Amino acid sequence: MAREAGVSVPTVYATYGNKTGLTRAVADSADLSADAPQMLAELEAAASNPRAQLAAMAAYDRRLFERAGDIIMVIREAGRSEPELATAYRDGRERGDATRVQVFSSWPAGTLRHGLDQQSAVDIYAAICNIDVYTTLTTERGWPPGRIEEWWGQTLARELLR
């Protein structure tokens, strides 16, 4: 990998420390490629529209998985034997959950579907919008990413909102 980047292996280790440091840097660049600032701007612009906020979060997830899904899957799988990578994967999931908690808690009481608490809403979101669903639909079922994003937005609104 160092050779492909046009640098020496010692340069890579001097810059990132180890495989985990390098992997974290790649994961951080994945967040940047999905354009988190765009999602935040869309969330703020739709502050009074939970359906539009769900669509903005689904759009971010689509961009993330489309641009960095392979990286996410490598980190998750490598985490089975590398505890630091398991932590990196878990941290990424927790950051996503924290964003959803922040958004869902900003909604007026009664916005969530009757009987649905905030933690269950976060769990349902995670079950619907994840790398495995994205990969199944794009790779096995031939869906274009835009179709997945649209389906996620509709499904999330149906499952989460009153």
Side-chain angles (χ1 to χ4, degrees):
M1 178 160 40
R3 185 175 343 127
E4 292 170 7
V7 298
S8 69
V9 172
T11 300
V12 171
Y13 280 99
T15 303
Y16 298 106
N18 57 26
K19 288 187 295 186
T20 301
L22 177 60
T23 304
R24 283 184 183 271
V26 170
D28 289 344
S29 72
D31 278 342
L32 293 175
S33 75
D35 201 355
Q38 177 183 343
M39 178 188 62
L40 294 175
E42 291 171 352
L43 289 172
E44 289 176 11
S48 63
N49 185 343
R51 186 177 296 271
Q53 287 186 317
L54 289 170
M57 290 188 293
Y60 172 82
D61 286 340
R62 174 251 176 122
R63 290 190 305 270
L64 179 64
F65 299 151
E66 186 174 25
R67 298 172 186 171
D70 292 342
I71 294 166
I72 293 166
M73 291 173 65
V74 165
I75 292 171
R76 182 179 65 187
E77 293 308 310
R80 296 179 193 273
S81 60
E82 299 280 340
E84 290 182 35
L85 294 179
T87 299
Y89 178 76
R90 187 176 54 251
D91 289 350
R93 293 298 302 256
E94 288 173 358
R95 282 192 307 275
D97 285 351
T99 297
R100 290 181 270 285
V101 166
Q102 186 176 8
V103 170
F104 297 169
S105 65
S106 74
W107 295 343
T111 300
L112 288 175
R113 189 170 39 84
H114 179 72
L116 188 63
D117 62 74
Q118 184 175 296
Q119 184 56 54
S120 296
V122 170
D123 294 344
I124 290 168
Y125 187 105
I128 293 169
C129 292
N130 64 65
I131 188 63
D132 297 311
V133 170
Y134 180 86
T135 301
T136 297
L137 291 176
T138 56
T139 304
E140 296 177 20
R141 302 297 178 178
W143 284 30
R147 182 177 177 195
I148 296 166
E149 178 183 331
E150 182 179 328
W151 175 74
W152 276 344
Q154 294 168 354
T155 302
L156 289 166
R158 184 179 61 246
E159 292 301 315
L160 301 180
L161 302 178
R162 188 177 291 270

